Amino acid sequence: MTASSAQPLTVAALYRFTHFEDCARLQVPLQKVCRDKGVKGTLLLAPEGINGTIAGTPEDIDAVLAHIRALPGCADLDIKLSSAATMPFHRMKVRIKREIVTMGEPDIDPRASVGTYVEPHDWNALIADPDTIVIDTRNDYEVAVGTFAGAIDPKTPSFRDFPAWFRNERERLLGEGKPPRVAMFCTGGIRCEKSTAFLKQEGVDEVYHLKGGILKYLETVPETESMWQGECFVFDQRVTIGHGLAQGTHTLCHACRRPVRADDLAAPHYEEGVSCPACYPERTDSQRASYRERHRQERLAAERGEAHVGAVHHERDDARDG
């Protein structure tokens, strides 16, 4: 790392839909510049573009972002910056995927058609309009932490489930006659690129999405004017953030990767590194024993100043956005 590790770290959430001919050719140089600069996190490469979140010193993040902007079609990279007091990732991963955010609809191309972008300072007026229905496109465990007032929760465990949910609920949502406007949002904007493209392909004309996602809204809209309720789940060790992108109050269950509220830490089924009230019924005693041993090994490694191998599996990369 080229700067003092004592200085605040920059966290960059980024994505760009573009066409990559050969992801494997891009992977190794990108991994190398990240490692050379001491930057950690996850970057996903797919034929449709790049997506990820990385952290490092401001200078080192700038160097990695310069490398990414030089990739084909990435000059106008979408980036949201925040800060962290400590490194929120265990290691650096550059992975090749079929999609940079998995929806499972091969004909969707956000480069061809997406919804209308709405700036954060115009979002309140749109979602307060009674002729607008507001849909949270995130996963159920994310919505449980916080969402916009009046938003519809699809209760989907994965973004891959969103198309089926909409097709099943379309008649109820849109009704007969002139359909309402549809406004959608997600954490950083990338899932809305696909969800709005999907709705337009399904024949919905008036589709809008929050530009920059919840992260940009919380960064730029004053809390006194905000329609956001709760906190926002993020896919790193910060777990949740609030207005002004300040650190939230949730911790992470390292068994199921769901956020855990502060008052759940005293619940009978919460055990650090082993279970939380949400996942306890989903796991067996044998699985919890395995998690317990892994957590013990991680504590021992931390006492020795080492990173236990089990820790590298704790970071999601399925919707790093997301």
Side-chain angles (χ1 to χ4, degrees), residues 46-92:
E48 66 180 6
I50 185 169
N51 175 30
T53 306
I54 53 176
T57 67
E59 295 83 0
D60 294 333
I61 289 293
D62 285 346
V64 173
L65 292 179
H67 179 95
I68 296 173
R69 286 192 179 99
L71 299 179
C74 289
D76 294 326
L77 190 67
D78 187 289
I79 306 168
K80 283 160 288 295
L81 300 176
S82 56
S83 61
T86 59
M87 173 56 72
F89 300 109
H90 291 292
R91 66 170 182 170
M92 186 66 224

Side-chain angles (χ1 to χ4, degrees), residues 21-33:
E21 288 282 352
D22 186 355
C23 293
R25 184 176 60 84
L26 306 178
Q27 182 183 28
V28 173
L30 181 54
Q31 181 85 48
K32 183 177 187 303
V33 70

Side-chain angles (χ1 to χ4, degrees), residues 14 26-27 29 34 37 75 79-80 86 97 99 128 186 189 206-207 220 229 237 262 270 293 302 317:
L14 61 95
L26 306 178
Q27 182 183 28
C34 290
K37 295 298 180 179
I79 306 168
K80 283 160 288 295
T86 59
K97 297 278 190 175
E99 301 177 68
C186 59
E206 281 200 87
V207 186
T220 58
Q229 298 175 336
Q237 296 299 317
Y270 177 79
E293 174 59 21
D317 63 9

